[in-house]
Structure formats: C-alpha cells, structure tokens
Amino acid sequence: MTTMPSSIVLFVIIYLCGLQHPLGAMPTCRLQRNLVQSSQKLLADLGPNFPVHCSPYNVNITFPTSILPAATSTHSQCRKVLWVVHETLNGTREVFSEYNVKEGGVNWNLMKLSTFRNLQKRLLDQGQCLSGSHVLDSYFADITALLQHKHSATCGWMALRRDVLWVLRTVLMEYHGCFI
Ligand SMILES: *[C@@H]1O[C@H](CO)[C@@H](O)[C@H](O)[C@H]1NC(C)=O
Ligand SMILES: *[C@@H]1O[C@H](CO)[C@@H](O)[C@H](O)[C@H]1NC(C)=O
C-alpha cells in the first residue's frame, strides 16, 4: 500500500487552492458597499465644498492618486482597491483622534461627523485583514502639517474631507464589484 505523506497532500491542496485564488484576487475580508456609500454621503453632507480660499494649500498636499489601480472591471484589482480604502480610513481615524475639528475652525455637522466616525470604525473592523502598508503616510503627514498651524488648520480639514470623498466616490463608481 502506498500512502502519500500528509504534508505532500496538504501541499497539493494548498497549491490547488492557490491556483483558484491567485494573489491579488478577492481578499479574505470584504467591506460592505452600503457602509461605504453611507460614509460617502455623510462626508459629502458635513458642510460646504472645498473653499476657493483654501486652494493655495494644494501645493502642500499630494494625494497619490496613482495608488488606485487603473479602472478595469476585473476582480483582480480588488485587493488593492480595498486596501487603499482601508488605509485611507485608518489614517483619517488617526487624524480625527489627534486633532479637534472645532478647534480647527471647521463648522461641520457634528451629528453627521459622529455617525461617519462610527461607520469608519465598522469598516476598519471589517477590513482588518487588509492592514499593513504605509503608502499614504506622507499624505497624512502633509495633512497634519496643515492641522498643526492655526492659519492653515481649517484648510487641512477641508482637504482631508475632499480627498477621502474622492477615494470613496472613485471606488464606488469604478470598483463597485469589489464590495459585498
Ligand atoms: C505650504 O507650502 C508653501 C510653499 O512650499 C510653504 O511656504 C508653506 O510653509 C507651507 N505651509 C505649511 C503649513 O506647511
Ligand atoms: C493605522 O494607522 C496607524 C497610524 O498611522 C498605524 O500605526 C497603524 O498601523 C494602522 N493600522 C492599520 C490596521 O493599518
């Protein structure tokens, strides 16, 4: 009787599973589309759009838009897309916990902001398997540099909101199928 060592059997099984789920395909944890949609809506409803008087600060902030993969309808980019969403929300949560919106002179709807932050927490919990990159670190350093000064804090908040909205809108429009 020939018996295969169980380690080989296990290896073959892992290998076959790997073929069906190549690297870069659906990650093991997913984000709920309706939570992302609600977050986007709450953020959009917080207050007026990015004000013109803040445009000079655009030179101080670079959001690396190229981290979102080129739009395709395949699912193979989903891991990267979800990971960008997670990274964006995690960095945003850090900023909200370290800086005060009211002190920054921003007149946002605080009820909506609080609901947004609750959704953000739920999405970060859902996306726990996505953590671990630092591709937005320099972006968030740009934002906090603005928040640290009284004259630029308001514009820092406005820019953060604009950029997070851009990420959420873009992923909902172009990568709809990556969410559950
Ligand atoms: C924004 O960038 C300008 C031009 O590089 C610089 O002079 C200014 O100090 C920066 N402001 C902040 C708050 O970082
Ligand atoms: C969230 O952001 C903080 C601060 O930038 C970082 O230390 C932490 O590793 C991040 N967590 C996840 C789960 O990515």
Side-chain angles (χ1 to χ4, degrees), residues 35-151:
L35 294 188
V36 180
Q37 273 164 343
S38 304
S39 304
Q40 186 231 278
K41 181 153 183 8
L42 285 161
L43 210 49
D45 291 348
L46 284 183
N49 286 335
F50 188 78
V52 176
H53 74 83
C54 286
S55 340
Y57 289 105
N58 284 336
V59 299
N60 301 82
I61 311 157
T62 311
F63 189 92
T65 52
S66 61
I67 58 173
L68 278 178
T72 60
S73 55
T74 73
H75 281 181
S76 63
Q77 306 283 23
C78 284
R79 175 177 280 278
K80 189 144 192 224
V81 167
L82 296 183
W83 171 73
V84 169
V85 173
H86 189 268
E87 196 84 353
T88 304
L89 293 180
N90 184 47
T92 305
R93 178 182 57 181
E94 280 304 293
V95 173
F96 276 123
S97 66
E98 279 171 31
Y99 297 88
N100 189 301
V101 169
K102 269 201 265 180
E103 282 169 17
V106 176
N107 196 17
W108 283 340
N109 182 320
L110 296 180
M111 282 281 281
K112 289 188 178 180
L113 182 59
S114 154
T115 313
F116 169 78
R117 292 184 66 182
N118 285 331
L119 290 185
Q120 188 180 25
K121 227 177 281 162
R122 286 175 64 188
L123 284 166
L124 286 170
D125 285 344
Q126 288 183 359
Q128 268 173 347
C129 81
L130 302 162
S131 57
S133 94
H134 292 277
V135 75
L136 288 175
D137 284 2
S138 80
Y139 168 75
F140 283 108
D142 291 347
I143 291 292
T144 51
L146 294 185
L147 295 179
Q148 278 159 6
H149 299 102
K150 206 171 168 53
H151 62 94

